[in-house]
């Protein structure tokens, strides 16, 4: 019998210490000789921020030689028997090993989009024996990254099919790679297991707020792709879907932009939050949808040292670059919050359409950049979209008008509109702008000319509120870069309990683009659940079949 030991203080440097180096301290907590511990496994480590103690706490799974019952009888705080539920909670149980029936020969699932939702949907299907076909409009990551980097340096025009949001890995390939979940059980554990198997730092299974890092995401993707192919999946890049085939009220396949038809569905659509042409194709095919609220604002950028001082009340030392999550929920007016905070990161262009400006943030794994940035976004209700009563896709036009105006105000060439925070709050124009991480250059603009009055008012109130919580947040070093419009999809495609479209069976809209996720892990989880819905229909659990382990 193994035991679980929780809340042990981590000794030494948070980055340099090895788990084995903690053995003497763990043995001291348990009041046993080190020799009695035959195996120790770090399963979670988190920063104890209570009263700004600046210390790390760790949970361990430990195997002892003998006498577990005697040790547990002592009633040591945070020490108990290890259970199967713990294996689920910490992602140590592999659900892919459950045997399945083989798939019918005439069924070949199609997955549209190779972002987190599409990749994990395809993987789960392939592990159960499906000969899945994964279609991605953009390039594989090895080609996509140089394409984007050259575009940022204005050396080549924007590629509408392969850019910051389209291509292998989806928008997550050019994001911070944060994983907003403390849970590791069930399908979440499965997702974390696979990420580690494909090259992610095992620490993501231990950290309370895990971070992949943009560079690590790019290294994981080729391994992920190769595993799909090993399992018999076909992966096609530079392949754009133009139509979804509706025959007899069911989705039977897709039509590609070159006119080719691919049948034998069903079809999982994981197109991401910026695939506006795909949304329209789904709507034309008969997939019922509704407009949904979104949040729009700007990126705020500070020197990372300022955030460290505000959060740690001093130099950070061995601690990681400080981050923050702030909310503003007034009794009257619009609520606002920070989103996708990137410590030691950069603000990046994130448009997929020509003549538009959109910004986002990202960090590499080391988070060593000079700046910290985060979106500050303000709520927009669906009834604010023009003609929304007649058009459930009206939110797309609302976003697009702001993005187009940003391009024009900044003078073209994909420069971004920017303003000092102090000037926005005082009503002044920024005669000069501080140095910034944004690679395509900034143009000083009065953001009142870009964002609707309601959003500007909400942005100002939120910034003033956040300045009370985080010293220097609205100070002279703070810069706003706009617009941040693609935080989520302004449309939701309605689906039933089996995740099929309510109005078009055999079409499964998933992830951020379908209106059911808000980040890498939630999108991946939605993709896995859609895949499981098909698996249970076509290849239910059995005592025989492909394990996918």
């Amino acid at each position: 019998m193994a035991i679980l030991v929780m809340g042990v203080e981590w000794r030494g440097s948070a980055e340099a210490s090895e788990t084995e180096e903690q053995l003497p301290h763990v043995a001291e907590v348990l009041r046993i000789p080190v020799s009695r511990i035959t195996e120790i496994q770090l399963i979670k480590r988190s920063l104890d921020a209570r009263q700004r103690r600046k210390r790390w706490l760790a949970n361990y799974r430990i195997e002892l030689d003998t006498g577990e019952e005697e040790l547990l009888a002592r009633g040591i705080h945070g020490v108990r028997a290890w259970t199967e539920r713990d294996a689920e909670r910490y992602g140590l149980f592999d659900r892919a090993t459950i045997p399945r029936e083989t798939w019918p020969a005439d069924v070949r699932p199609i997955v549209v989009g190779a972002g987190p939702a599409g990749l994990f949907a395809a993987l789960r299907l392939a592990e159960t024996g499906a000969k899945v076909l994964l279609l991605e409009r953009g390039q594989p990551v090895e080609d996509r990254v140089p394409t984007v980097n050259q575009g940022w340096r204005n050396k080549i025009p924007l590629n509408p099919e392969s850019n910051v949001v389209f291509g292998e890995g989806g928008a997550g390939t050019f994001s911070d790679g944060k994983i907003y979940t403390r849970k590791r059980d069930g399908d979440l554990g499965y997702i974390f297991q696979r990420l580690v198997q494909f090259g992610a730092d095992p620490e993501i299974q231990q950290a309370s707020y895990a971070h992949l890092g943009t560079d690590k995401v790019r290294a994981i993707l080729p391994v992920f792709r190769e595993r799909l192919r090993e399992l018999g999946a076909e992966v096609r890049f530079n392949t754009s879907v133009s139509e979804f085939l509706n025959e007899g009220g069911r989705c039977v396949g897709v039509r590609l932009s070159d006119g080719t038809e691919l049948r034998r569905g069903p079809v999982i659509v994981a197109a991401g939050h910026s695939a506006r042409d795909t949304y329209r194709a789904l709507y034309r095919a008969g997939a019922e949808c509704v407009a949904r609220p979104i949040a729009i604002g700007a990126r705020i950028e500070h020197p990372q040292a300022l955030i460290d001082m505000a959060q740690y009340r001093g130099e950070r030392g061995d601690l990681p670059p400080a981050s923050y999550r702030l909310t503003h929920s007034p009794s009257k007016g619009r609520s606002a919050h920070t989103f996708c905070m990137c410590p030691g990161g950069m603000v990046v262009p994130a448009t997929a359409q020509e003549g538009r400006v959109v910004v986002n943030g990202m960090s590499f794994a080391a988070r060593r950049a000079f700046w910290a940035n985060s979106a500050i976004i303000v709520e927009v209700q669906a009834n604010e979209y023009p003609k929304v009563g007649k058009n459930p896709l009206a939110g797309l036009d609302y976003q697009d008008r702001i993005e187009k105006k940003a391009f024009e105000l900044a003078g073209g060439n994909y420069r971004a509109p920017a303003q000092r925070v102090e000037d926005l709050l005082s009503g002044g124009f920024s005669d000069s702008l501080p140095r910034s991480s944004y690679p395509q250059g900034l143009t000083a603009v009065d953001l009142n000319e870009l964002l609707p009055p309601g959003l500007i008012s909400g942005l100002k109130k939120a910034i003033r509120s956040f300045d009370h919580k985080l010293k220097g947040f609205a100070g002279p070093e703070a810069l706003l870069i706009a617009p941040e419009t693609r935080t989520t999809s302004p449309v939701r495609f309605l689906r039933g309990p089996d995740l099929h479209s309510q109005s078009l069976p055999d079409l499964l809209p998933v992830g951020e683009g379908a209106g059911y996720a808000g980040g890498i892990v939630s999108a991946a989880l939605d993709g896995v659940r859609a895949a499981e819905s098909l698996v249970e229909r076509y290849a239910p659990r059995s005592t025989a079949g492909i394990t996918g382990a």
Side-chain angles (χ1 to χ4, degrees):
M1 182 177 69
I3 62 171
L4 174 65
V5 185
M6 298 180 288
V8 179
E9 185 171 356
W10 186 269
R11 294 290 176 88
S13 167
E15 296 180 352
S17 294
E18 297 292 335
T19 302
E20 288 73 15
E21 295 176 14
Q22 308 298 316
L23 266 172
H25 178 48
V26 175
E28 180 183 339
V29 170
L30 297 175
R31 302 197 294 274
I32 60 174
V34 173
S35 59
R36 283 193 56 192
I37 300 177
T38 60
E39 180 182 333
I40 181 170
Q41 180 180 17
L42 175 66
I43 54 177
K44 182 179 180 181
R45 186 175 64 185
S46 58
L47 181 65
D48 180 10
R50 294 170 296 177
Q51 301 177 4
R52 303 186 184 275
R53 294 178 186 175
K54 301 181 182 179
R55 65 172 185 168
W56 292 89
L57 298 178
N59 295 354
Y60 299 92
R61 177 186 180 275
I62 290 176
E63 292 279 354
L64 301 176
D65 53 1
T66 56
E68 294 92 340
E69 292 81 0
E70 173 268 330
L71 188 150
L72 293 174
R74 298 179 188 174
I76 301 172
H77 180 70
V79 178
R80 61 173 173 78
W82 179 265
T83 66
E84 290 186 7
R85 175 61 179 160
D86 294 320
E88 284 271 358
R89 180 180 299 114
Y90 292 107
L92 302 180
F93 172 72
D94 192 346
R95 293 190 168 199
T97 60
I98 299 172
R100 300 281 182 178
E101 297 284 1
T102 56
W103 281 71
D106 61 343
V107 176
R108 187 185 194 190
I110 298 171
V111 178
V112 179
L119 285 169
F120 272 95
L123 178 66
R124 193 70 196 96
L125 291 167
E127 286 177 337
T128 61
K131 300 303 179 184
V132 62
L133 174 59
L134 176 59
L135 306 176
E136 170 53 52
R137 68 193 300 167
Q139 298 168 307
V141 68
E142 298 93 336
D143 300 326
R144 181 186 177 199
V145 171
T147 295
V148 171
N149 287 338
Q150 290 182 65
W152 284 353
R153 294 191 293 267
N154 295 323
K155 291 189 175 181
I156 61 173
L158 173 72
N159 184 339
E161 295 298 318
S162 191
N163 44 60
V164 174
V165 292
F166 296 152
E168 188 176 23
T173 304
F174 292 89
S175 72
D176 195 44
K178 288 182 291 294
I179 301 176
Y180 287 120
T181 176
R182 294 187 180 187
K183 296 182 178 180
R184 301 292 188 272
D185 56 344
D187 289 327
L188 284 169
Y190 163 79
I191 290 166
F192 278 76
Q193 286 173 347
R194 293 297 180 264
L195 288 172
V196 171
Q197 288 172 8
F198 300 150
D201 190 327
E203 186 173 296
I204 70 167
Q205 293 183 297
Q206 305 152 4
S208 55
Y209 287 105
H211 169 240
L212 290 172
T214 304
D215 45 339
K216 294 294 181 66
V217 172
R218 298 171 187 177
I220 290 167
L221 290 170
V223 183
F224 201 134
R225 181 202 319 149
E226 183 58 30
R227 179 56 178 159
L228 285 171
R229 287 174 170 161
E230 287 174 357
L231 291 167
E234 181 181 354
V235 183
R236 297 188 193 179
F237 294 103
N238 303 301
T239 304
S240 183
V241 172
S242 61
E243 299 292 338
F244 296 89
L245 304 177
N246 180 341
E247 293 183 4
R250 307 189 75 86
C251 184
V252 298
V254 299
R255 180 178 294 113
L256 305 182
S257 56
D258 65 3
T260 302
E261 290 189 358
L262 302 173
R263 294 172 175 263
R264 291 166 56 192
V267 180
I268 293 177
V269 185
H273 61 47
S274 293
R276 293 169 173 171
D277 53 351
T278 303
Y279 303 160
R280 293 188 172 99
L282 287 168
Y283 187 52
R284 288 195 303 271
E288 186 179 358
C289 60
V290 294
R292 65 190 293 254
I294 55 175
I296 286 178
R299 281 268 150 187
I300 189 166
E301 187 171 64
H302 303 89
Q304 178 63 50
L306 183 150
I307 304 301
D308 293 340
M309 291 295 293
Q311 292 289 66
Y312 294 138
R313 306 288 175 87
E315 300 292 336
R316 74 169 183 257
D318 291 333
L319 294 173
S323 62
Y324 56 81
R325 297 178 71 180
L326 304 170
T327 60
H328 175 62
S329 302
S331 57
K332 294 182 180 180
R334 298 173 189 258
S335 64
H337 63 278
T338 61
F339 174 79
C340 186
M341 196 273 155
C342 301
M346 61 185 292
V347 181
V348 298
T351 186
Q353 284 82 34
E354 295 176 338
R356 308 294 189 271
V357 168
V358 183
V359 299
N360 195 9
M362 74 177 201
S363 296
F364 293 106
R367 291 179 162 176
R368 291 176 181 166
F370 177 82
W371 294 276
N373 74 79
S374 175
I376 305 178
I377 49 177
V378 183
E379 65 175 357
V380 179
Q381 297 301 324
N383 60 15
E384 297 180 63
Y385 309 150
K387 301 180 181 179
V388 67
K390 299 179 180 179
N391 177 16
L393 304 181
L396 306 181
D397 297 328
Y398 184 92
Q399 291 174 316
D400 191 65
R401 278 194 294 274
I402 293 174
E403 296 163 9
K404 183 179 179 181
K405 193 171 184 179
F407 184 83
E408 295 167 351
L409 287 172
N413 208 25
Y414 299 98
R415 296 173 66 85
Q419 187 174 17
R420 289 181 181 269
V421 168
E422 287 187 328
D423 293 328
L424 177 70
L425 297 180
S426 67
F429 184 81
S430 298
D431 295 322
S432 64
L433 298 174
R435 194 165 61 99
S436 170
S437 65
Y438 190 78
Q440 289 188 292
L442 303 176
T443 300
V445 168
D446 182 352
L447 295 184
N448 286 278
E449 297 183 43
L450 174 62
L451 299 175
L455 291 184
I456 287 290
S457 175
L459 194 62
K460 289 180 178 180
K461 290 176 181 177
I463 290 172
R464 290 189 175 104
S465 171
F466 299 159
D467 191 53
H468 289 299
K469 301 174 183 178
L470 206 62
K471 185 178 179 180
F473 193 85
E477 296 181 278
L479 177 68
L480 286 169
I481 305 171
E484 176 101 8
T485 53
R486 306 290 184 93
T487 56
T488 189
S489 171
V491 61
R492 170 169 287 164
F493 287 88
L494 302 181
R495 56 190 198 185
D498 59 358
L499 276 62
H500 289 246
S501 165
Q502 284 187 358
S503 56
L504 189 59
D506 289 335
L507 176 79
L508 292 82
V510 301
E512 288 197 42
Y516 292 96
I520 290 174
V521 169
S522 61
L525 184 62
D526 205 44
V528 169
R529 289 173 175 170
E532 284 290 355
S533 175
L534 296 181
V535 170
E536 288 303 318
R537 175 179 172 184
Y538 292 108
R541 298 184 183 191
S542 171
T543 57
I546 298 176
T547 68

